[in-house]
């Protein structure tokens, strides 16, 4: 269904239960968020094994930097703050791992 037709149908419904999606689709942020989400999913899979902590940290770092970038592109302070803090913690953990 074409986007304009769907948008017209939503307006015709005049319902407070129907929400129009506001996140962009097909632009650079869309690709980064899916790439970053895949890395975070892989990191959690490494974490679940219990033996791959360093891979978990590296994959998590890539994913959180990706989501930090998306937060910057969307001007979303919550995403920037959360993923900036997590990235800092992961970098600290990696530095500790390699300096030991």
């Amino acid at each position: 269904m074409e986007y304009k037709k769907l948008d017209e149908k939503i307006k015709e419904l005049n319902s407070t239960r129907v929400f129009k999606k506001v996140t962009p689709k097909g632009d650079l942020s869309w690709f980064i968020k899916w790439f970053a989400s895949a890395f975070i999913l892989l990191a959690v899979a490494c974490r679940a094994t219990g033996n791959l902590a360093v891979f978990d940290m590296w994959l998590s770092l890539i994913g959180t930097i990706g989501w930090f970038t998306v937060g910057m592109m969307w001007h979303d302070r919550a995403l920037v703050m959360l993923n900036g803090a997590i990235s800092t913690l992961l970098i600290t953990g990696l530095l500790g791992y390699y300096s030991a």
Side-chain angles (χ1 to χ4, degrees):
M1 181 178 286
E2 194 175 317
Y3 175 74
K4 285 195 176 218
K5 289 180 184 176
L6 180 61
D7 196 39
E8 289 170 9
K9 285 191 175 209
I10 290 171
K11 285 179 183 175
E12 287 173 11
L13 288 173
N14 195 22
S15 172
T16 58
R17 296 184 308 156
V18 178
F19 295 100
K20 183 178 165 187
K21 185 176 176 185
V22 293
T23 56
K25 183 177 180 190
D27 69 342
L28 181 60
S29 69
W30 186 85
F31 289 101
I32 294 171
K33 79 175 185 179
W34 283 106
F35 179 80
S37 295
F39 269 84
I40 291 173
L41 185 60
L42 288 170
V44 172
C46 289
R47 188 175 311 149
T49 67
N51 300 326
L52 303 171
V54 70
F55 294 110
D56 173 17
M57 286 192 287
W58 277 110
L59 294 169
S60 293
L61 180 62
I62 293 167
T64 56
I65 288 173
W67 270 105
F68 176 84
T69 304
V70 170
M72 294 292 285
M73 294 171 83
W74 289 353
H75 306 286
D76 188 320
R77 287 178 270 173
L79 285 177
V80 170
M81 186 277 305
L82 175 66
N83 290 290
I86 293 171
S87 295
T88 302
L89 293 169
L90 288 166
I91 289 169
T92 303
L94 284 165
L95 289 172
Y97 177 83
Y98 286 110
S99 67

